[in-house]
Amino acid sequence: MGGGQLGLMIVEQAHLLGARTLCLDPAPDAPAFALSDGHIVAAYDDAAALEELCRRSDVVTYEFENVPGSVLIPLEKKYNIPQGFRPLYDSQDRLREKDNARANGLRTPLYAAVDDEASLRAALAEIGFPAVLKTRTLGYDGHGQLVLKGEADVPRALPMLSVPCILEAFVPFDFEASIVMVSDGERVIHFPIGRNVHRDGILDLCFVPAEGIDDGLRSRMAAAGERFMKSCRYRGILAIEFFIRDGEFYFNEMAPRPHNSGHYTIEGCTTNQFRELVRFLLGEPLQEPQLVAPTVMKNILGQDLEAAERIAAENRPGVHVHLYGKTESRPKRKMGHITFVGMDAGEYGAAWADRFVK
Ligand code: AMP
């Protein structure tokens, strides 16, 4: 379900493992359609189309987070959708997502539900400034968010309250990091933790290994992530984004699908996030990934597409350019990514950062 770049990369790995693929997406030119063996153009809430996808498939997964429960829940009873609706349900609402994270052992920033001016004022009294107001549903890549630095920002926040929101403490984090895990219900494997840099709320860079995370913190994060997955009884793939501050980690959000910060695994690890998801779906034993070499992943948004095409033409060893084949390029749209294998943050900054839009 879903034919974006994540779907495209799932399809690639499924083919390498000998599977055939069928993909559903509302856009007739969805990236994954270029490679999938079949496709269905339909909306994510088109129950008949989703049922057709399930009927024609041995196993179903999703790369899109907002497939509605009203269609997925009846389908998961009849068809093989091993991740099920549960992790989507838990992640589709930021309030539920954080309640669930806390209930299953992860520390979060302070937060409170906000529905109107009175509850916003009460939440601000408890959490204080600065704080971040987010819509509870349908937010992504920094959309539907407002940072409140002081009283003067409150009037600007009020129009957002036409939909249910959550107010979070603004975390003055040292940096952000994420972990991608795959579980078969018994064993959980995890990919090396990446250090993430966002720009305008969108992932820009991912550095692995994550400088600033020592062995102790790394193993505490991995253990907490694995315990969380087991405690929630999730199966399949899950990515968790954390804020790191003073050697502690705080849950920010999760996604039960391959994650942008895990794209580096395709060339940077001995096995990758898409491949292990497919191995899980096919009932094959999971493989614990190893980092091949220090790796940097740079996201290519519309404004960097030309630079990426030039870099692709240079054909340098260790520089892997992925372009998703989207027909329309827009400044903040994810058009591709580049993985630099055998490179660390310092080398990237010195030799490559200037080639992209600042
Ligand atoms: P999200 O969609 O919640 O992942 O937010 C997008 C980005 O906004 C995050 O990756 C952070 O860089 C920033 N952000 C979100 N929430 C907070 C917070 N509570 N404190 C500080 N920065 C935040």
Side-chain angles (χ1 to χ4, degrees):
M1 293 176 185
Q5 62 268 20
L6 302 176
L8 174 73
M9 291 182 269
I10 294 170
V11 165
E12 280 172 347
Q13 295 299 321
H15 286 170
L16 290 174
L17 291 165
R20 286 163 58 77
T21 53
L22 176 64
C23 199
L24 179 147
D25 195 279
D29 58 352
F33 291 175
L35 288 187
S36 62
D37 299 285
H39 66 261
I40 299 170
V41 179
Y44 293 115
D45 58 359
D46 181 335
L50 286 171
E51 171 125 29
E52 183 195 338
L53 178 89
C54 293
R55 201 171 10 86
R56 291 171 58 190
S57 305
D58 297 311
V59 60
V60 177
T61 189
Y62 38 74
E63 61 106 74
F64 178 72
E65 264 159 287
N66 292 310
V67 185
S70 52
V71 281
L72 205 52
I73 291 167
L75 290 175
E76 97 180 286
K77 297 197 177 90
K78 279 170 76 178
Y79 300 101
N80 185 16
I81 313 176
Q83 284 166 277
F85 181 61
R86 184 74 213 204
L88 281 180
Y89 176 81
D90 291 338
S91 63
Q92 281 174 352
D93 176 321
R94 290 184 189 274
L95 181 65
R96 201 155 60 210
E97 184 181 36
K98 288 203 165 60
D99 285 345
N100 180 63
R102 284 177 59 167
N104 290 286
L106 295 177
R107 194 192 306 234
T108 67
L110 278 179
Y111 63 88
V114 166
D115 299 304
D116 52 22
E117 183 168 356
S119 50
L120 175 63
R121 297 239 171 240
L124 281 168
E126 188 198 330
I127 292 168
F129 294 107
V132 191
L133 185 66
K134 302 180 180 179
T135 57
R136 278 173 53 178
T137 58
L138 301 178
Y140 67 99
D141 286 346
H143 292 271
Q145 296 195 15
L146 187 67
V147 176
L148 305 180
K149 296 196 175 117
E151 195 51 47
D153 293 325
V154 172
R156 281 201 299 134
L158 300 180
M160 252 176 87
L161 302 180
S162 58
V163 293
C165 286
I166 178 173
L167 187 79
E168 296 174 17
F170 182 90
V171 180
F173 51 76
D174 300 324
F175 56 90
E176 297 180 73
S178 54
I179 185 166
V180 178
M181 299 171 286
V182 181
S183 171
D184 59 13
E186 285 174 19
R187 215 172 127 228
V188 184
I189 59 158
H190 73 271
F191 290 86
I193 293 170
R195 174 170 173 151
N196 301 333
V197 178
H198 289 79
R199 239 164 75 179
D200 302 329
I202 306 174
L203 184 69
D204 181 32
L205 290 159
C206 180
F207 299 102
V208 195
E211 196 189 322
I213 298 187
D214 61 22
D215 288 347
L217 178 56
R218 188 178 304 116
S219 52
R220 278 193 294 126
M221 287 177 74
E226 291 184 14
R227 262 198 317 273
F228 174 76
M229 247 192 127
K230 283 187 175 153
S231 164
C232 295
R233 296 172 185 242
Y234 293 154
R235 300 167 71 223
I237 190 160
L238 184 80
I240 305 182
E241 293 182 51
F242 292 103
F243 298 133
I244 312 292
R245 177 167 160 74
D246 291 339
E248 259 321 318
F249 55 96
Y250 300 85
F251 174 95
N252 175 33
E253 62 177 4
M254 68 175 199
R257 50 155 175 80
H259 195 255
N260 194 169
S261 68
H263 292 1
Y264 85 88
T265 62
I266 296 176
E267 293 93 5
C269 288
T270 48
T271 181
N272 66 68
Q273 61 168 350
F274 305 98
R275 182 179 172 89
E276 290 311 305
L277 167 61
V278 175
R279 289 171 67 87
F280 159 72
L281 296 170
L282 298 178
E284 292 179 9
L286 301 178
Q287 232 176 67
E288 191 73 51
Q290 306 291 327
L291 190 66
V292 172
T295 298
V296 178
M297 193 281 307
K298 161 75 181 164
N299 251 353
I300 300 302
L301 306 185
Q303 63 268 31
D304 282 320
L305 187 55
E306 282 178 25
E309 285 167 352
R310 278 195 295 276
I311 292 166
E314 291 166 14
N315 198 23
R316 301 199 198 195
V319 179
H320 305 274
V321 179
H322 295 245
L323 298 174
Y324 306 144
K326 293 186 183 174
T327 46
E328 192 195 337
S329 170
R330 286 193 301 273
K332 287 189 178 176
R333 191 171 194 207
K334 291 175 182 169
M335 302 301 294
H337 72 270
I338 305 182
T339 308
F340 301 87
V341 179
M343 188 175 298
D344 64 20
E347 290 161 341
Y348 173 82
W352 290 91
D354 283 347
R355 300 207 45 182
F356 303 105
V357 172
K358 290 272 168 341

